[in-house]
């Protein structure tokens, strides 16, 4: 049975007695310095993952994508991987855990979808997966508090029945679970992120809301950039969708943001129909399952060249200009490959200069440019750039020479 590690001690408390402290201070520690950690007083801990180099053990990650791209199917496939311990899109499951799905929409389809997935990947055996259809308004802090003991009860049953803790809480979808007044309001987005952490932190679980992309994949997550900024990781489901016929092709899973791992395309996948039985007319019924194509290059690396959208044009020009004056050789995350890179902050003024907007109001123009840069950074893996954050900076470099 997995036991949740005790994280009650802070880095400071674990290291406070390693060095001498000012004489005369209470208990040998200057009270004004409580809560601070100085370089050399603490050794960095390795990242803790549920899925290696993909999803952290705790916090908030977002699974985003276009309508019909396969977000819910991917979320179920993730739950099956975590429940069985089998790899997710080729990535190792570090800890086998249970999954709770707060299905604010589509709850009636989950039984068939989970049955199809476990029939293919778990030989039909029962898995530590539970779901809830009557999801309260998670924008209300009192509703979130009322949900906490129910989540603990689910955790307790999973420990008793399956020998695993509840490690993942999926919210499908974020827009349906939170009664949003304004998706573009940064303060409201930050409040929603706090409420999600309130759901996961008491039991040490990762919270994974499923969220829609904007009108095109280049816009990234719909609404305020605070959602992407406040998330520990963002998984992106991309696809080519014919809005007239509904046909969807070239699906792929991508790591659009991570605080620890290298970002970029992961793998292509398809949805495969699995028959569960026949209805009263003798027609087959069932559900689709995720079928990763690990031996194929992700679609984003094999599409024919297309005309770049304006935000990408501005980003490429700004990057080339700023690289001449500010570019330097850095190691990715301090221990990876050496790349010629700049920081996003260094590039931002040049991007503003290059990106044209028809807005005459200064504040509106600035907001439009910020959104354009956000879209461009989200689309970087598709246009030959990598982004990653370390040492308090967000870095940008070309994925290939």
């Amino acid at each position: 049975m997995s036991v949740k590690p005790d994280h009650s001690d802070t880095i400071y408390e674990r290291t406070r007695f390693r060095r001498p402290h000012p004489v005369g201070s209470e208990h040998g520690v200057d009270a004004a310095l409580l809560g601070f950690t100085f370089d050399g007083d603490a050794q960095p801990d390795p990242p803790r993952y549920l899925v290696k180099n993909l999803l952290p053990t705790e916090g908030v990650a977002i699974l985003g994508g276009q309508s019909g791209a396969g977000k819910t199917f991917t979320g179920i496939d993730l739950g099956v991987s975590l429940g069985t311990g089998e790899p997710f899109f080729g990535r190792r499951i570090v800890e086998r855990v249970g999954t709770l799905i707060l299905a604010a929409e589509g709850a009636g389809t989950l039984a068939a979808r989970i049955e199809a997935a476990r029939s293919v990947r778990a030989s039909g055996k029962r898995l530590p997966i539970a779901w809830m259809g009557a999801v309260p308004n998670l924008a209300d802090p009192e509703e979130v508090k009322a949900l906490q003991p129910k989540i603990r009860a689910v955790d307790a049953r999973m420990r008793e029945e399956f020998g695993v803790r509840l490690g993942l809480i999926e919210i499908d979808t974020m827009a349906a679970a939170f009664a949003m007044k304004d998706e573009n309001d940064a303060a409201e987005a930050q409040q929603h992120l706090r409420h999600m952490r309130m759901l996961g932190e008491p039991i040490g679980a990762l919270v994974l809301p499923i969220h829609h992309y904007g009108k095109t994949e280049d816009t990234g997550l719909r609404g305020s950039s605070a959602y992407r900024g406040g998330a520990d990781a963002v998984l992106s489901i991309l696809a080519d969708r014919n809005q007239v016929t509904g046909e969807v092709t070239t699906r792929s899973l991508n790591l659009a943001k991570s605080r620890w791992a290298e970002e970029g395309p992961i793998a292509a996948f398809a949805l495969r129909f699995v028959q569960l039985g026949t209805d009263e007319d003798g027609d087959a019924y069932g559900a689709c399952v995720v079928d990763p194509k690990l031996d194929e290059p992700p679609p984003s690396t094999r599409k024919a060249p297309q005309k770049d959208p304006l935000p990408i044009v501005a980003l490429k020009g700004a990057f080339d200009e700023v690289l001449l004056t500010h570019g330097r050789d850095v190691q990715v995350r301090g221990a990876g490959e050496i790349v010629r890179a700049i920081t996003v902050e260094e590039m931002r003024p040049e991007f503003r200069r290059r990106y044209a907007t028809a807005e005459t109001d200064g504040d509106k123009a600035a907001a439009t440019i910020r959104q354009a840069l956000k879209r461009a950074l989200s689309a970087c893996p598709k246009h030959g750039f990598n982004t990653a954050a370390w040492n308090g900076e967000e870095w940008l470099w070309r994925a290939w020479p």
Side-chain angles (χ1 to χ4, degrees):
M1 180 181 300
S2 299
V3 179
K4 178 181 177 298
D6 181 11
H7 301 300
S8 60
D9 60 328
T10 64
I11 291 176
Y12 182 83
E13 290 299 326
R14 295 199 302 270
T15 61
R16 58 188 293 186
F17 297 113
R18 291 185 184 176
R19 290 180 176 269
H21 297 281
V23 177
S25 56
E26 184 180 359
H27 302 301
V29 179
D30 188 339
L33 295 179
L34 286 172
F36 291 92
T37 303
F38 287 81
D39 182 35
D41 284 354
Q43 294 299 315
D45 294 325
R48 298 174 58 249
Y49 291 108
L50 280 182
V51 184
K52 187 68 178 288
N53 292 330
L54 200 64
L55 290 175
T57 300
E58 299 182 70
V60 174
I62 299 177
L63 175 60
Q66 302 146 280
S67 176
K71 298 185 297 296
T72 299
F73 289 112
T74 303
I76 290 172
D77 191 69
L78 172 61
V80 172
S81 289
L82 290 172
T84 60
E86 295 298 317
F88 174 69
F89 277 80
R91 303 293 179 99
R92 182 171 70 87
I93 301 300
V94 178
E95 180 188 2
R96 182 172 163 261
V97 297
T99 298
L100 169 63
I101 303 173
L102 301 180
E105 60 181 45
T109 68
L110 286 182
R113 293 184 180 194
I114 294 172
E115 173 70 19
R118 68 186 177 92
S119 69
V120 171
R121 299 197 53 205
S123 302
K125 69 177 182 180
R126 294 177 64 246
L127 295 174
I129 300 176
W131 65 93
M132 176 184 188
V135 179
N137 176 16
L138 298 183
D140 184 342
E142 296 304 316
E143 293 283 10
V144 173
K145 291 176 183 177
L147 193 55
Q148 288 174 333
K150 297 180 181 180
I151 291 175
R152 291 193 188 93
V154 173
D155 175 54
R157 175 160 174 182
M158 287 184 174
R159 289 175 184 269
E160 178 182 355
E161 189 168 345
F162 297 98
V164 298
R165 68 182 181 89
L166 173 58
L168 177 68
I169 301 173
E170 296 184 8
I171 302 174
D172 192 2
T173 61
M174 185 164 70
F178 291 85
M180 297 182 180
K181 298 177 182 178
D182 182 0
E183 277 190 332
N184 296 306
D185 188 320
E188 187 175 357
Q190 290 165 356
Q191 181 189 53
H192 295 163
L193 289 165
R194 285 195 297 272
H195 288 186
M196 285 186 265
R197 293 185 190 279
M198 287 172 60
L199 293 175
E201 283 180 352
I203 61 169
L206 175 69
V207 178
L208 183 77
I210 296 175
H211 192 40
H212 295 293
Y213 266 21
K215 292 182 180 179
T216 67
E217 63 187 46
D218 288 336
T219 63
L221 297 171
R222 196 172 70 192
S224 171
S225 61
Y227 288 114
R228 184 181 190 277
D232 298 300
V234 177
L235 294 180
S236 173
I237 306 293
L238 301 180
D240 292 328
R241 180 180 176 88
N242 187 317
Q243 298 297 338
V244 177
T245 65
E247 181 184 13
V248 180
T249 58
T250 57
R251 292 179 168 91
S252 67
L253 177 68
N254 308 268
L255 182 57
K257 177 192 174 179
S258 174
R259 298 195 191 278
W260 301 279
E262 185 171 357
E263 298 156 354
I266 297 171
F269 73 95
L271 295 181
R272 175 165 57 91
F273 180 78
V274 174
Q275 181 176 340
L276 298 177
T278 56
D279 63 16
E280 58 187 11
D281 296 320
D283 297 325
Y285 72 87
C288 289
V289 297
V290 170
D291 188 11
K293 306 296 183 181
L294 301 180
D295 56 343
E296 297 180 10
S300 58
T301 64
R302 55 182 171 85
K303 286 184 179 179
Q306 298 178 350
K307 185 177 179 180
D308 290 334
L310 290 178
I312 289 295
V313 172
L315 182 141
K316 286 183 174 181
F319 176 86
D320 290 339
E321 181 72 22
V322 177
L323 190 69
L324 293 174
T325 56
H326 291 78
R328 61 269 203 197
D329 293 333
V330 297
Q331 274 193 299
V332 177
R333 304 194 183 282
E337 63 175 327
I338 296 178
V339 297
R340 191 72 174 171
I342 60 174
T343 69
V344 172
E345 283 305 312
E346 290 168 341
M347 186 191 66
R348 196 179 299 274
E350 183 64 20
F351 182 90
R352 284 198 297 264
R353 189 181 73 80
R354 289 172 174 269
Y355 187 80
T357 173
E359 291 287 354
T360 57
D361 180 272
D363 291 340
K364 290 183 179 179
T368 299
I369 293 171
R370 284 196 301 272
Q371 287 297 317
L373 180 56
K374 172 196 169 188
R375 294 195 299 272
L377 291 172
S378 297
C380 272
K382 296 181 58 185
H383 295 275
F385 289 89
N386 283 331
T387 63
W390 70 89
N391 292 339
E393 297 281 3
E394 187 171 8
W395 296 83
L396 178 69
W397 69 95
R398 289 192 182 276
W400 51 81

